[in-house]
Amino acid sequence: PADKDAVAKNDSDIVRQIKDATLKSRDLLEKGTRAYTSYIRAYKEHQCGFIFRIKSLDLGKLATSFCLLKLPKMPELANVHTKLDFKPEENVEFYKIPYEDKVREQARQKRMKDEGKQEKLQKQREEKKQRREEKKARRDERFNPKQKKKRVGRHQRILEEWDDLAKEERLHKKLKRGKITQEEYDRQMFGDSVKKGGGDVDINDMDSV
């Protein structure tokens, strides 16, 4: 047991040393990731699937054995990455890990800068397009005659209906209090006459028509 503990500690120390080196080298970071993904896909795509069974792999411990700082994005890990026995490195800004080769690192930095500019330009274009569409929508709403006429017409009808109801209520109260006669009430409500056919018929003669 003591020997096993010593071996486990030694393995852990080696993994830590490699991880520390990987934190300073993008080459090691990429090579470790490629090795891990290739290993898994070799199992998955092997013709002797009954021997090389991907389900028998402990993908979390496998990632630790490859000294990975984090799990790569791949379909095989899509639904299981949160259940794996793997602890990623915390508080690591992976984009800052450089290549050891200065020329390659300069090219990467330039590429990142160009991509950042492209993303910024794309965002500005999208925001400009959105503002243009919103402005057009406001202009159409303001100057579209049909919409304006429809909106104003409906509002006007509501006002007229309220006015008619208020007028009818006022006249009904006056009639009830005896301030106006039934004839005056009918005249103010319906006018002096109503049309029937081609001629005018007085409102008071309608019962005899």
Side-chain angles (χ1 to χ4, degrees):
D3 291 339
K4 288 184 178 180
D5 291 341
V7 171
K9 184 178 184 304
N10 186 50
D11 290 346
S12 179
D13 290 342
I14 292 174
V15 169
R16 184 67 264 168
Q17 290 175 18
I18 296 176
K19 284 188 175 183
D20 288 341
T22 303
L23 287 168
K24 301 175 183 178
S25 172
R26 181 163 291 274
D27 300 273
L28 290 177
L29 177 68
E30 292 181 350
K31 287 176 180 178
T33 302
R34 283 198 298 269
Y36 178 75
T37 55
S38 298
Y39 191 97
I40 292 176
R41 284 170 181 164
Y43 260 74
K44 181 181 178 181
E45 298 169 6
H46 203 285
Q47 292 181 352
C48 298
F50 61 95
I51 297 176
F52 298 95
R53 294 178 298 172
I54 189 171
K55 291 183 178 180
S56 66
L57 289 177
D58 188 327
L59 301 178
K61 290 183 178 179
L62 182 65
T64 301
S65 69
F66 276 91
C67 305
L68 299 189
L69 303 180
K70 65 174 182 177
L71 292 172
K73 293 181 180 179
M74 55 188 305
E76 292 79 4
L77 303 179
N79 299 320
V80 297
H81 70 281
T82 57
K83 304 175 183 178
L84 298 181
D85 182 15
F86 175 79
K87 185 178 180 181
E89 291 290 303
E90 297 179 350
N91 303 319
V92 177
E93 295 177 303
F94 289 93
Y95 73 94
K96 289 186 177 181
I97 298 177
Y99 286 114
E100 295 180 29
D101 184 279
K102 292 184 179 180
V103 175
R104 194 177 181 189
E105 177 59 19
Q106 287 176 355
R108 187 181 77 90
Q109 292 291 339
K110 183 178 183 302
R111 185 168 61 253
M112 287 175 57
K113 189 175 181 180
D114 292 341
E115 289 174 354
K117 287 181 179 178
Q118 289 298 323
E119 290 178 2
K120 186 176 180 180
L121 288 173
Q122 180 64 22
K123 185 177 180 181
Q124 289 176 346
R125 282 195 292 267
E126 290 175 356
E127 290 176 349
K128 187 176 180 180
K129 181 181 178 182
Q130 184 177 357
R131 288 195 299 269
R132 189 164 56 245
E133 290 175 351
E134 291 175 353
K135 186 176 180 180
K136 182 178 182 299
R138 289 195 299 268
R139 186 172 61 249
D140 291 344
E141 184 179 357
R142 183 181 300 174
F143 296 108
N144 190 320
K146 292 183 179 180
Q147 290 184 356
K148 187 174 181 181
K149 184 178 180 181
K150 183 178 180 181
R151 186 168 59 251
V152 172
R154 182 172 179 272
H155 181 68
Q156 187 65 32
R157 285 197 303 273
I158 293 173
L159 291 177
E160 290 175 355
E161 289 174 0
W162 276 105
D163 289 342
D164 290 341
L165 288 172
K167 179 182 178 182
E168 183 177 356
E169 185 179 3
R170 287 195 304 271
L171 291 174
H172 184 73
K173 287 181 179 179
K174 288 183 179 181
L175 177 64
K176 192 173 182 181
R177 294 171 184 171
K179 293 184 178 181
I180 60 173
T181 63
Q182 181 67 46
E183 182 180 355
E184 290 172 331
Y185 174 84
D186 292 339
R187 185 181 301 112
Q188 292 190 49
M189 280 295 301
F190 307 108
D192 291 335
S193 61
V194 294
K195 290 186 177 181
K196 183 176 181 180
D200 291 339
V201 180
D202 192 284
I203 191 72
N204 295 315
D205 295 333
M206 288 188 69
D207 291 337
S208 60
V209 173

